[in-house]
Amino acid sequence: MSEIFIGDDLVKILLVLVLGTAALVITQRSLTSLISIYAIQSVILAAIAMSLYSREATGSLLFMAILTIISKVIIIPFFLKRLLKVMPIKRDLEFRYLTPIGSIILATALFFVVYQAFSALSAALDAGPLFILGAVIGVSLALMGMMVIMSRKKVITKIIGYLSMENGVLLFSLFIAEMPFIIEVLIVVDLLMIIVLSAVLAFGIDSSVEAFHKRLNQLGLDFED
């Protein structure tokens, strides 16, 4: 029984850390730091999945943790950092509609609204306090990611917002609506495709055809001249 309590406390600490990374994502201006924060957030999600696996021994949780580490901690941050090296900007200083302080206030309000909604539904959901807390933070993280997409102007920042939103969906599925592993694989494939397409559009929108091909070659995407 004490091991379960220790496991619950560990998951609660990890959930608080997820909220911390979400707060950093909505206020951070350095693009390099944004990518690193996303990688750290994904590591925490993998740790949560492993903690739940240790108490429930469900194989999909283990595979989800491994997939998260490979795709969201290694592959996606690697590609984004490589993309950032050839981009002329390194910081996203422009906020649309919201300032960093306004973003924090709105995110806090969203969290309490979601918490109140799930508190009212807790009896119908037939889930324990830990699972309700996980679901609340999962939905809140998804909403914060959506807020980043709407309030920031740079494409790479919007990509991080979309990735955070997907992390929120994953967190929610870990606690309330278990997502089939194959669906998570398909979502990760979609994420990779979205990142590649967004990068191509971001590079091509303000350049000639020749300059566009040169920039793609810098990314390792070879095109014939």
Side-chain angles (χ1 to χ4, degrees), residues 4-44:
I4 294 177
F5 285 137
I6 292 173
D8 287 354
D9 290 340
L10 175 61
V11 173
K12 289 176 183 175
I13 292 171
L14 293 173
L15 288 172
V16 172
L17 292 177
V18 169
L19 275 183
T21 58
L24 290 175
V25 167
I26 61 179
T27 57
Q28 184 60 241
R29 299 173 189 269
S30 166
L31 297 179
T32 303
S33 297
L34 273 172
I35 297 170
S36 298
I37 292 167
Y38 168 72
I40 293 170
Q41 185 181 85
S42 300
V43 168
I44 297 172

Side-chain angles (χ1 to χ4, degrees), residues 57-195:
T58 304
S60 61
L61 291 172
L62 177 61
F63 290 131
M64 206 168 286
I66 295 173
L67 180 64
T68 299
I69 291 292
I70 294 174
S71 62
K72 300 178 183 179
V73 178
I74 299 175
I75 296 178
I76 292 177
F78 172 78
F79 183 85
L80 290 177
K81 286 183 178 179
R82 189 173 177 182
L83 175 67
L84 194 59
K85 284 183 180 177
V86 296
M87 291 182 68
I89 58 168
K90 304 300 178 188
R91 293 171 64 83
D92 184 359
L93 301 177
E94 298 178 88
F95 284 76
R96 179 186 295 169
Y97 309 125
L98 293 169
T99 62
I101 294 177
S103 299
I104 289 290
I105 294 173
L106 180 58
T108 304
L110 286 174
F111 175 79
F112 281 107
V113 169
V114 174
Y115 180 79
Q116 290 297 327
F118 273 90
S119 297
L121 295 173
S122 59
L125 292 173
D126 192 25
L130 178 64
F131 287 80
I132 293 295
L133 178 63
V136 169
I137 294 180
V139 174
S140 300
L141 180 59
L143 293 175
M144 290 180 198
M146 191 180 302
M147 191 170 68
V148 171
I149 296 172
M150 296 176 62
S151 64
R152 307 294 286 270
K153 290 187 176 180
K154 297 292 185 290
V155 172
I156 194 165
T157 313
K158 291 180 181 292
I159 292 174
I160 296 294
Y162 182 81
L163 294 172
S164 295
M165 192 169 67
E166 196 278 330
N167 270 350
V169 174
L170 172 62
L171 186 59
F172 180 79
S173 72
L174 289 176
F175 287 92
I176 294 294
E178 184 177 349
M179 187 185 302
F181 181 67
I182 185 64
I183 299 298
E184 178 59 23
V185 172
L186 293 175
I187 289 175
V188 169
V189 172
D190 285 344
L191 285 180
L192 293 173
M193 293 305 298
I194 287 171
I195 289 172

